[in-house]
Structures are given as C-alpha cells and as structure tokens.
Amino acid sequence: SDSTKSGFRPGSFTVERRYSDFSWLSEEFARELPGKLAVVLMSRCVVVFYHLALICTGCIIPPLPEKVTVGRFERDFIEGRQRGLQRYLQRVIAHPELSSSHLLVIFLQSDEGAFSRAMEDSKASRPKITTTAVNWFEGKVNSIAYGKTEIDRTPEDVKIEEMADYISKLEKQLQAVTKHSEGMAKRLKDTASCMFELGSSLSALGQSDVDGAGGELTIFASTMERTSNSYSATAEAELQKFHEPLDEYVRMMGSVKAAIQRRTDKKRAYVAALTDVDAKGAALRKAQSSGKDSSSKESSLAGAEAMRDAAKADFERVTDRLLQEFETFKEKKVADMKRIISSYVEFQMVHTRKVETLWEEALPQLQVAPPRSHNQGHFLDSRSSANFPSTPPPVPMVPPPLPPGSNPYDA
C-alpha cells in the first residue's frame, strides 16, 4: 500500500496479514490498556489501584467479517472475506482516532518478526489486577452494608437510550433486507445456471437437426448461453456491491451496541465508586464518633475519592465521544446507503441493456424465411399445365327443347 499519512513510512510497502492478525488489531482497539499504577501513601495505609484507560473508549470500531468453520477454504468465501477485510481497513483509516493509533502503524508496516513481538508485548502489557483491585471492582459494586448510590438521569442518558432503540430497530430492518438480497442473488445464479444448461441442450439439438431448424436452434442456444453469463455477472455484482455492504452494516449495529455497552460499564464503575466513597465515609464517621483511631479510614476514603474522580472523568469522556461517534455514524450511513443503492441501479441497468441487446441481435436471424424443402419443391414442379390448366375449357352451348307440335324451321 501507499501512504502519505504522518507516522507511516513514506513510499510503498507490502505486508502479509492473516485473519487472526486483523482480529488482534480489532481487539487492541477495544481493550483497556493499563495506565500508571497509582500508589497512594497515607499515614498507615497503602492504597494500590490501576487507572484503566481505553485507546478509543466510546469509538464505534468497524466490524470484521464473521468467522466461519464450514467452507472457509472455498474460493468464493476467501474472496468475500478479502473484500470484507479491505472494507474494514478503509473504515479504520477513515476514522480520525483509529487511523492515528500506533497500532495501525505496527499492523501495516511491521515485518513478520516485529509484528509478532508487538503481539507478544500487547499480551504482556495487559494488567494483572491485584486482589485489592478485584475486591474494589466486584465487592464494592454490590455493597450490601451500604446499598448502592444512585445518580440522576441526565439528558445524555436520554440520548443514549434513544440511540439504543434506534439501533435495535435498524438492525431488524437491515437483517430482513440482507436476507432477501442474498436470496435474490441466489435465484439469479440459479437462473443463470438453468439458462446455460438450456442453451447447451438447444445447441446439441441444433447440431442433430442439420436439415431442419438447426441453424435457428444454434443461434438461439448461443444467445441463451451469452445471456446466462450476464445473469451470472449480475448475481455476483449483487453479492459484492449490494448484499455484502448491507451485511456489513448489520455487523456495524453490533459495533454500535458494543460502544454503548462500554459506556454502560463506565457508568457502573462510576456508580460503584460513588457507593464506595459513601461506604468509606460512613465508616470514617463511625470510627470518629466512637473515638477510635480513624487515620486508616481517612486514607481509605481519600483513595476512594481519587477513584471516584477518575471514574467520573472517564465516564464523561466516553459519553461525549460516543455521542459524537453516533452522529458521524448516521451521516456516513446516509452516504453509504445512497452509494449502495446507486450502484445497484447502475449494474441492473447494464444487465438489462445487455440482455436486450443480445436478443435484439438474435431476432432478425431467427425471423429469416426458411428455404423451401426438397419435397415441397418436387411437389410443385410436378403440377403440369396439362393436368392443372390455368383456365377452364369452354362449356358447349345446348339450345333448350322446342314445345310439342312446333316446327324448328319456322323460326
């Protein structure tokens, strides 16, 4: 490929990547990377926690082609997957944040050895959550002693709920369209196959009937076979330019849902952090009221408040990004749908005109009057003028009989 984007090596470059490599890239875009290990030192307590940050939390990450276990070595499937992976890369490169990620540079420009090392490093960099962090993430969310803190429903929450409802309805509608588009392409392929077989049969019949309508049958068969090629090409165009892009949008609905779910997870983390602050604040007040040493409680509360602030900032950042991403998604969807529909109309027009031209060229050849057969010519030649005179012979005139007693000579 060629690139003039900053961060990429200038000029042309070529790399080989498998589907599993694309899957790694997509997972890396979505997973949380470990931030700085925060160690809060208080008088008698050490609070350890990870600050987790996403590369693109709230981003709608383009979907990969689906994994399959049956038929994955067939030529049609391999070619379809290649087209799907190409569309995935095009969407990633068109994304302002994903295209700026160092992960994309590694994916597109690293040689095999460097890329393998990058994959190993990414696995090693995944955070090993400590027991303290696990207790915070799991135990504090479902705090029984102090309940769960609720936060007010915001205008952003309303927008996200409307977004989820819109995506749910759109997904069902797109699934219905892709189901029927796939069926239509299959019927076109079946029609093309039947037309080709019919053409072959007609051709064989024409070759055996050389003294009859063999010429006309041969012309008809050739036109039928050429027409079947147009139907086959149109079926392939429907799959590539109509069905596949629409099917990709069905998977895109899953990507939007995943982005919404990540925002929901961030909200839960924020609520859990608020709950933890309330619980530790209550524990501190209880210790202070009883006259016990409360320094450890103060340290614990300070750590919980730091986690609350970080969770709130993370939640708000994800919310803002998701709302912006969704607006961009809707704009691109409109443009993509127009392009898909226009492409469909164009190749249907090409197909219709080609088929019409084929039959128009064949029709004059099929309408030529056939020559007279030998039997018919012999029968006409045997009709001589003696046997079949052109004019009938004269009829003799006979006078009418005279009445009785009359003399014929008196007249």
Side-chain angles (χ1 to χ4, degrees), residues 121-329:
D121 291 343
S122 70
K123 293 178 181 179
S125 68
R126 293 178 183 179
K128 299 177 177 59
I129 305 298
T130 61
T131 303
T132 303
V134 171
N135 290 337
W136 185 87
F137 277 108
E138 296 181 357
K140 300 306 179 181
V141 172
N142 299 310
S143 177
I144 298 176
Y146 299 99
K148 185 176 180 178
T149 303
E150 297 293 337
I151 59 176
D152 294 334
R153 193 162 174 261
T154 64
E156 288 76 15
D157 290 329
V158 176
K159 290 181 180 179
I160 299 297
E161 291 170 4
E162 293 174 350
M163 181 192 308
D165 184 61
Y166 170 83
I167 290 299
S168 179
K169 292 178 180 177
L170 182 61
E171 182 178 35
K172 292 180 180 178
Q173 295 164 350
L174 283 170
Q175 286 173 342
V177 172
T178 55
K179 174 185 176 182
H180 296 300
S181 68
E182 185 177 26
M184 188 166 60
K186 184 179 183 301
R187 284 192 293 272
L188 271 178
K189 280 190 173 182
D190 292 341
T191 300
S193 178
C194 291
M195 292 181 76
F196 183 82
E197 292 174 0
L198 176 59
S200 299
S201 300
L202 288 168
S203 179
L205 177 61
Q207 292 173 6
S208 66
D209 191 20
V210 293
D211 292 333
E216 289 79 0
L217 287 170
T218 300
I219 294 171
F220 187 33
S222 175
T223 305
M224 186 69 72
E225 291 175 355
R226 292 165 66 192
T227 303
S228 76
N229 292 335
S230 180
Y231 272 85
S232 180
T234 303
E236 190 63 28
E238 283 196 6
L239 281 175
Q240 294 184 23
K241 300 180 180 180
F242 189 69
H243 173 72
E244 288 181 3
L246 289 176
D247 187 56
E248 182 182 26
Y249 256 98
V250 174
R251 298 194 303 276
M252 185 70 76
M253 300 303 101
S255 297
V256 177
K257 288 181 176 180
I260 295 174
Q261 182 59 49
R262 285 192 287 270
R263 189 257 183 186
T264 301
D265 293 340
K266 292 299 178 182
K267 183 177 182 179
R268 288 174 179 169
Y270 175 46
V271 171
L274 289 173
T275 302
D276 196 38
V277 169
D278 290 344
K280 286 181 168 55
L284 175 60
R285 290 190 294 272
K286 182 177 180 180
Q288 290 174 339
S289 62
S290 64
K292 296 181 180 179
D293 182 13
S294 60
S295 57
S296 62
K297 303 296 184 183
E298 293 174 357
S299 300
S300 180
L301 177 60
E305 289 174 342
M307 291 295 293
R308 176 202 60 196
D309 295 341
K312 180 181 179 182
D314 205 14
F315 171 58
E316 291 176 347
R317 183 174 61 254
V318 169
T319 299
D320 292 341
R321 179 180 284 164
L322 177 57
L323 291 173
Q324 294 172 4
E325 285 275 306
F326 187 64
E327 290 303 315
T328 303
F329 163 79

Side-chain angles (χ1 to χ4, degrees), residues 96-118:
E97 294 188 58
L98 297 180
S99 62
S100 301
S101 170
H102 71 286
L103 293 169
L104 185 61
V105 178
I106 293 172
F107 180 81
L108 290 179
Q109 293 197 325
S110 297
D111 57 30
E112 191 66 26
F115 185 66
S116 297
R117 289 191 296 273

Side-chain angles (χ1 to χ4, degrees), residues 22 85-94 104 107-108:
F22 281 86
L85 293 175
Q86 184 65 33
R87 287 193 296 269
Y88 168 80
L89 271 183
Q90 289 171 348
R91 290 188 180 276
V92 167
I93 293 171
L104 185 61
F107 180 81
L108 290 179

